[in-house]
């Protein structure tokens, strides 16, 4: 019996029920005085509790796929490299052009953020040699959302030869109820990107690590909730505008991509297919392909005559069947054994049609957990980065500033560490009173 199979769950549930029944039946016999009776009571209670906890843990694991097999449960994790597979008729090369605007958001330093100091493996040394990770807050002028983020800047960003160039951007999204710490420490996004760049396997890229949960503890997915949090607007408009206004990031959509794991991967696909003029490339590790209400989300789509249209609009299979395919490139990853979403991933791949392009990472074994996603990250980053244009354009000479760390904002006085905080505010029009009412 597989660890995630329903048969295993039912067998453990039956065993725990049997242990409870035996405990009730044996208890009068074990209630007599004496050392062996005391030990018998303790043993019977312990065995019953263990079987109940095991049945519950197995049911939770079957639903969320934390461990895909008995081998993984006992630490025998497959670490072999995985590769990208071209879908039939797909094309994983090239880039896609699009349009995006540059208005209305700012980026500032968070007060006393301790998460960055707990992340291991961050750049340590001169920024022009090893790059830098900055801890910031994205402030959305349209949505009023304030969300923490880590921003990885490659070494080239600080080098004189690149001081007029704009860099491609990958937005990395955590799952629910994940955090930017998970992206930096457990998924090791910036560390993997830095290693690939040092090996010449990835072009220099800005990476923004952020959580899509903008109204915790509610899981808003990537939806503009009627009368509620506007997650899609924040991620598709506020965030790109903030980054472009502060960093030397590419202004055209062909230099922007989004990736994520679990619900963050679902969000990456949603953003790319729904907002192809902002993100033209997505990598989704263990995603779902439709958004639906559950106890953590509440009512995402409102009520009334427009509800079904909003539900359909966030069902990617429905979009592929009923709407013109967007001109974007996507990568989807799911394990053949150990994850429950493999069949849906296969169906999605088959449903994609031109001009949309799809590739996949489909390892034989894996789980809905970080060890599996860490295996998939190098291949996903390399493929994704190959879709993004660099250099996309250049900063006009009269706008180029020196030193290059001042190219898009005003740094905090004093020495700048290889990773740390920076105090920045975007240039651009002042927000309207209604846009800043919730700041």
């Amino acid at each position: 019996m597989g660890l995630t199979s329903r048969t295993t769950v039912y067998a453990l549930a039956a065993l725990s029920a049997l242990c409870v029944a035996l405990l009730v039946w044996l208890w009068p016999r074990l209630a007599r005085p004496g050392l062996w009776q005391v030990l018998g009571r303790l043993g019977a209670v312990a065995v019953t509790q263990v079987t109940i906890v095991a049945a519950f843990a197995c049911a939770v694991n079957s639903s969320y796929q934390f461990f895909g097999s008995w081998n993984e449960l006992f630490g025998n994790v497959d670490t072999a490299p995985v590769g990208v597979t071209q879908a039939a008729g797909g094309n994983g090369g090239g880039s896609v052009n699009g349009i995006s605007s540059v208005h209305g958001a700012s980026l500032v330093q968070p007060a006393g953020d301790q998460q960055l100091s707990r992340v291991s493996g961050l750049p340590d040394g001169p920024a022009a040699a090893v790059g830098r990770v900055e801890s910031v807050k994205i402030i959305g002028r349209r949505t009023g959302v304030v969300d923490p983020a880590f921003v990885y800047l490659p070494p080239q960003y600080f080098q004189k030869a690149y001081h007029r160039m704009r860099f491609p951007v990958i937005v990395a999204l955590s799952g629910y109820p994940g955090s930017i710490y998970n992206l930096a420490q457990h998924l090791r996004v910036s560390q993997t990107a830095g290693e690939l760049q040092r090996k010449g396997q990835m072009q220099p890229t800005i990476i923004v690590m952020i959580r899509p949960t903008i109204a915790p503890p509610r899981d808003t997915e990537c939806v503009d909730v009627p009368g509620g949090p506007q997650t899609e607007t924040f991620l598709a408009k506020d965030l790109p505008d903030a980054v472009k206004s502060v960093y030397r990031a590419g202004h055209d959509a062909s230099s922007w991509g989004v990736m994520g794991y679990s619900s963050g991967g679902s969000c990456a696909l949603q953003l790319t297919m729904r907002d192809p003029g902002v993100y033209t490339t997505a990598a989704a590790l263990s995603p779902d392909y439709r958004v639906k209400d559950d106890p953590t989300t509440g009512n995402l789509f409102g009520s009334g005559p427009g509800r079904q249209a909003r539900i359909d609009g966030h069902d990617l299979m429905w979009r592929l069947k009923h709407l013109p395919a967007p001109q974007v490139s996507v990568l989807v990853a799911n394990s053949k054994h150990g994850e429950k979403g493999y069949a849906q991933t296969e169906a999605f791949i088959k449903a994609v049609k031109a001009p949309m392009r799809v590739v996949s990472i489909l390892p034989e074994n894996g789980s809905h957990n970080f060890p599996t996603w860490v295996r998939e990250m190098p291949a996903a980053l390399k493929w994704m980065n190959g879709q993004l244009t660099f250099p996309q354009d250049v900063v006009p000479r009269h706008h180029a500033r020196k030193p290059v760390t001042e190219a898009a904002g005003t740094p905090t006085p004093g020495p700048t560490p290889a990773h740390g905080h920076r105090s920045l505010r975007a240039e651009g029009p002042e927000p309207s009173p209604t846009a800043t009412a919730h700041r």
Side-chain angles (χ1 to χ4, degrees):
M1 293 185 294
L3 179 61
T4 60
S5 71
R6 304 308 297 177
T7 302
T8 304
V9 175
Y10 296 146
L12 284 175
L15 179 61
S16 63
L18 177 62
C19 287
V20 171
L22 286 174
L23 178 64
V24 172
W25 182 65
L26 290 173
W27 195 259
R29 294 167 176 77
L30 298 173
R32 301 165 186 167
L35 176 61
W36 291 110
Q37 285 75 12
V38 172
L39 293 176
R41 290 196 296 270
L42 292 175
V45 170
V47 169
T48 302
Q49 288 181 333
V50 167
T51 56
I52 292 173
V53 171
F56 177 78
C58 191
V60 172
N61 183 69
S62 180
S63 297
Y64 293 97
Q65 308 287 305
F66 298 116
F67 299 96
S69 65
W70 295 105
N71 282 334
E72 283 198 2
L73 179 63
F74 292 109
N76 299 320
V77 180
D78 188 358
T79 59
V82 295
V84 175
T85 302
Q86 299 286 345
N91 179 7
S95 59
V96 185
N97 292 323
I99 302 173
S100 56
S101 61
V102 189
H103 294 291
S106 63
L107 211 162
V108 297
Q109 172 189 344
D113 180 22
Q114 299 297 317
Q115 291 193 86
L116 192 62
S117 62
R118 296 190 290 114
V119 177
S120 62
L122 294 180
D124 185 14
V130 296
R132 184 165 74 206
V133 176
E134 299 185 336
S135 179
V136 300
K137 282 184 179 177
I138 306 292
I139 300 179
R141 288 181 175 169
R142 295 176 182 84
T143 59
V145 170
V146 179
D147 209 17
F150 293 151
V151 178
Y152 167 76
L153 302 171
Q156 292 84 351
Y157 190 91
F158 305 96
Q159 295 171 8
K160 185 176 181 179
Y162 294 84
H163 78 281
R164 292 183 57 232
M165 293 185 178
R166 299 189 188 277
F167 291 77
V169 180
I170 293 176
V171 176
L173 302 175
S174 67
Y176 176 84
S179 67
I180 55 177
Y181 178 80
N182 288 345
L183 290 164
Q185 177 65 24
H186 299 302
L187 197 58
R188 305 190 70 75
V189 177
S190 60
Q191 296 91 322
T192 304
E195 182 64 26
L196 291 173
Q197 290 172 25
R198 285 190 293 274
K199 294 179 178 178
Q201 298 175 356
M202 182 177 174
Q203 60 191 349
T205 303
I206 296 171
I207 298 179
V208 180
M209 292 166 273
I210 195 166
R211 62 177 185 177
T213 307
I214 65 170
R218 185 180 184 183
D219 179 12
T220 53
E221 297 288 330
C222 267
V223 177
D224 281 350
V225 180
Q230 304 294 288
T231 311
E232 183 175 2
T233 295
F234 175 73
L235 293 173
K237 295 182 179 180
D238 282 346
L239 185 151
D241 290 352
V243 173
K244 292 173 188 176
S245 67
V246 175
Y247 295 105
R248 297 198 315 279
H251 283 189
D252 192 84
S254 64
S255 64
W256 280 75
V258 57
M259 71 180 306
Y261 65 88
S262 190
S263 63
S266 307
C267 187
L269 290 177
Q270 293 276 340
L271 287 170
T272 304
M273 293 180 65
R274 289 176 56 86
D275 301 281
V278 180
Y279 300 103
T280 57
T281 304
L285 312 182
S286 305
D288 289 321
Y289 300 94
R290 63 187 293 256
V291 177
K292 56 185 178 181
D293 292 342
D294 64 33
T296 66
T297 66
N299 184 357
L300 292 174
F301 303 105
S303 57
R307 174 178 167 81
Q308 189 58 49
R310 290 189 287 271
I311 293 174
D312 291 341
H314 287 276
D315 183 336
L316 300 185
M317 298 300 291
W318 184 93
R319 295 184 70 89
L320 289 172
K321 183 177 180 180
H322 294 93
L323 300 177
Q327 191 175 350
V328 296
S329 299
V330 301
L331 177 150
V332 290
N334 222 296
S335 304
K336 296 180 181 179
H337 303 98
E339 291 194 83
K340 64 180 181 180
Y342 181 74
Q344 292 90 334
T345 296
E346 279 196 315
F348 176 83
I349 293 170
K350 292 177 181 178
V352 170
K353 53 192 176 184
M356 184 174 172
R357 294 167 293 184
V358 61
V359 299
S360 60
I361 297 176
L362 303 173
E364 284 293 326
N365 297 286
S367 301
H368 200 83
N369 61 18
F370 285 109
T372 296
W373 299 325
V374 167
R375 285 181 62 209
E376 297 166 345
M377 275 296 296
L381 279 174
K382 285 191 288 186
W383 172 85
M384 191 174 186
N385 195 245
Q387 314 307 306
L388 306 177
T389 56
F390 173 73
Q392 184 189 64
D393 48 24
V394 296
V395 180
R397 289 187 182 277
H398 62 279
H399 287 307
R401 307 180 196 174
K402 190 175 182 180
V404 293
T405 52
E406 297 179 17
T410 304
T412 302
T416 304
H419 57 83
H421 307 294
R422 185 158 66 140
S423 178
L424 298 165
R425 181 163 294 277
E427 298 175 355
E430 287 298 315
S432 64
T434 55
T436 58
H438 298 91
R439 287 180 59 182

